Amino acid sequence: LDGDFSKDWLFSDWYSSWFPKSLFPPPPPPPPPPPPSRRGLLTPVPPAPLSLEGVVAAIPLSSFPYPSTTIVSPLERPYLKNARGCSFELSLQSSVESYTSQDMAKQSLVLEQLKTTAEGLEKEPYVMELQGDVFSSECGLAYNVTTTAIRIDWETAAGKAVNYSVWQTLSCLVQIVLLLRQLHHTQSASAASRVSVLGIGAQAIIDSLSTIFHISLSVFIQSLFTAFLSIVFFKLLIFAIIELKYMAIIMAARQPNLSAELARRQVTLLHARFYAAFFASLMFFYAFQETSTTMCVLTLYSFWVPQIALNVVTEARKPLHLHYIVGMSITRVMLPVYLFGYNSNFVAVAFPAFKPDPGLCMTLVLWVGAQAAVLIMQMKWGTRFFIPAKFLPTPFDYSRPIPPALL
């Protein structure tokens, strides 16, 4: 141990950071004050300097946990040994890139003064990556160190985020208009009962996850909070009010004879199931976002599949309005197309680790387009047009001739 231990706080900070306080005996009581002098004043006694021998002698060796195996696990011993005299060697290699000081000033207010001088426009090296090793021969420890600096053009990211918020807000307004048009199309109980609750619920989960996505961006990038505020508001309006209310209307149309109390229970159970599915999907996408991104996105955007299956069962040709099918299919895929198909989107600028995926973008567009095309063809050619006739039940012929035996 090297250093000046003439002050009490220096050594106390040292051993309290490496050893728990419960392992040390309590400090000795302060010495009694000296007797008063003839003039009634205390005789000043200068404090004795704290020497290294006094420090070591003041702490019994039994107080140190190392090398006792009953107190410290083997994994913690090298760290405790470091406090007793390990020396480390550091070997790093750096890679630099040249940036103009004007570019650096755009990215941070701290570098604003670099734009004021002509010398600021010259190329200057900045360390962008460090790689090396940290090792200690006495303790047998070796660590690899890799650090990377990411420089973000916040001015460009903020401009792109504002443009994104404008068209995304317009998209939310279009979705609200389409939902109201669909509510008017199914205002009768018989028409509402033929709409799939799972299909509307899947779209509500997409809107809720989009709300969480924009809230998270606002938290990480606080300068974009005002740009995303309108998007969050309209997304909450869509899934928390309109779509949940629409699902409650559909369930009430399927069970019209329920009492008021049972109807309230059904609505409460509907909300509980929706939020349970929302949190389950959130955990699912968080767990598999890196390994199965394509599967997660395609599963999330299969919101027309339940309606296609219900049309086959009920043989309802037009449970959904044509404008609702086309408009929702287009506005739903706008966000993933922007994120995965546009290389210079604001997410890629603000988070360079995010990489767009044009293949996923094309697959998603084809998948949602195929679902919408099946729904439109069900309106024109029948709900079971894609099922071979041999797999369909024989329909009853109401116009068949009367047998002669019955005449």
Side-chain angles (χ1 to χ4, degrees):
L1 297 174
D2 298 329
D4 183 13
F5 292 93
S6 59
K7 296 183 179 180
D8 297 343
W9 58 268
L10 182 60
F11 180 72
S12 63
D13 290 344
W14 175 80
Y15 71 74
S16 62
S17 62
W18 286 95
F19 303 102
K21 297 182 179 179
S22 59
L23 300 178
F24 294 94
S37 61
R38 295 181 179 180
R39 297 183 179 180
L41 300 176
L42 296 178
T43 304
V45 178
L50 183 62
S51 61
L52 181 61
E53 294 78 11
V55 170
V56 176
I59 304 176
L61 295 178
S62 60
S63 300
F64 289 91
Y66 182 84
S68 175
T69 58
T70 59
I71 299 178
V72 181
S73 64
L75 295 177
E76 297 177 350
R77 291 182 185 178
Y79 301 99
L80 296 179
K81 189 176 180 180
N82 179 33
R84 305 187 68 181
C86 289
S87 59
F88 287 88
E89 297 183 14
L90 182 65
S91 174
L92 294 176
Q93 294 181 355
S94 62
S95 62
V96 298
E97 294 184 9
S98 297
Y99 286 85
T100 64
S101 298
Q102 184 177 7
D103 295 336
M104 295 298 298
K106 292 181 181 179
Q107 301 172 18
S108 176
L109 295 177
V110 180
L111 302 175
E112 186 69 25
Q113 67 275 10
L114 297 179
K115 297 191 296 182
T116 58
T117 59
E119 293 80 10
L121 298 178
E122 298 178 358
K123 293 285 185 177
E124 297 180 3
Y126 291 93
V127 176
M128 296 298 295
E129 186 176 356
L130 289 175
Q131 293 182 354
D133 300 312
V134 179
F135 55 90
S136 174
S137 57
E138 291 95 350
C139 299
L141 298 176
Y143 301 98
N144 179 263
V145 179
T146 302
T147 60
T148 303
I150 299 176
R151 304 193 182 276
I152 301 173
D153 191 350
W154 291 111
E155 184 178 357
T156 303
K160 291 180 177 293
V162 171
N163 296 334
Y164 163 81
S165 64
V166 171
W167 66 260
Q168 188 67 15
T169 302
L170 295 177
S171 174
C172 293
L173 293 175
V174 172
Q175 291 179 2
I176 293 175
V177 173
L178 292 173
L179 280 169
L180 296 178
R181 183 67 183 86
Q182 175 62 24
L183 284 170
H184 179 74
H185 180 69
T186 58
Q187 55 184 340
S188 63
S190 60
S193 62
R194 297 177 181 179
V195 180
S196 175
V197 178
L198 293 178
I200 304 299
Q203 297 183 54
I205 289 178
I206 293 177
D207 293 325
S208 60
L209 292 177
S210 178
T211 304
I212 297 299
F213 169 72
H214 291 96
I215 291 176
S216 302
L217 289 178
S218 301
V219 171
F220 289 123
I221 312 174
Q222 296 183 0
S223 59
L224 303 180
F225 176 77
T226 55
F228 293 152
L229 184 61
S230 59
I231 303 177
V232 172
F233 171 75
F234 285 115
K235 287 295 182 181
L236 284 173
L237 178 63
I238 290 173
F239 87 86
I241 297 179
I242 301 178
E243 289 175 334
L244 283 177
K245 180 62 177 178
Y246 193 24
M247 287 190 288
I249 292 174
I250 296 171
M251 296 187 65
R254 293 180 180 179
Q255 298 176 344
N257 298 325
L258 290 179
S259 62
E261 183 178 357
L262 290 178
R264 286 194 296 269
R265 290 182 181 179
Q266 289 290 337
V267 173
T268 303
L269 185 61
L270 172 66
H271 283 74
R273 290 176 179 175
F274 168 76
Y275 287 108
F278 163 67
F279 285 110
S281 60
L282 190 64
M283 295 297 102
F284 175 78
F285 291 120
Y286 177 78
F288 297 98
Q289 62 176 346
E290 296 182 357
T291 58
S292 304
T293 305
T294 303
M295 181 191 67
C296 294
V297 174
L298 293 180
T299 302
L300 182 64
Y301 279 83
S302 301
F303 49 85
W304 292 134
V305 174
Q307 186 63 55
I308 295 174
L310 185 62
N311 290 349
V312 173
V313 175
T314 60
E315 297 189 29
R317 288 195 173 190
K318 296 182 179 180
L320 302 178
H321 197 274
L322 179 61
H323 296 169
Y324 178 75
I325 297 174
V326 177
M328 279 296 181
S329 300
I330 295 175
T331 55
R332 293 290 182 198
V333 299
M334 289 178 65
L335 177 59
V337 165
Y338 175 78
L339 293 178
F340 297 105
Y342 182 45
N343 294 328
S344 300
N345 60 78
F346 78 95
V347 178
V349 174
F351 303 96
F354 178 80
K355 301 298 180 183
D357 190 352
L360 172 59
C361 178
M362 293 298 299
T363 304
L364 179 62
V365 171
L366 293 177
W367 173 238
V368 176
Q371 297 177 63
V374 171
L375 284 175
I376 296 174
M377 287 186 289
Q378 282 182 332
M379 294 181 181
K380 296 182 178 181
W381 301 333
T383 59
R384 300 176 180 179
F385 75 95
F386 54 89
I387 301 177
K390 62 179 179 180
F391 296 109
L392 295 176
T394 303
F396 184 79
D397 188 7
Y398 290 94
S399 62
R400 62 181 181 175
I402 300 176
L406 298 178
L407 294 177

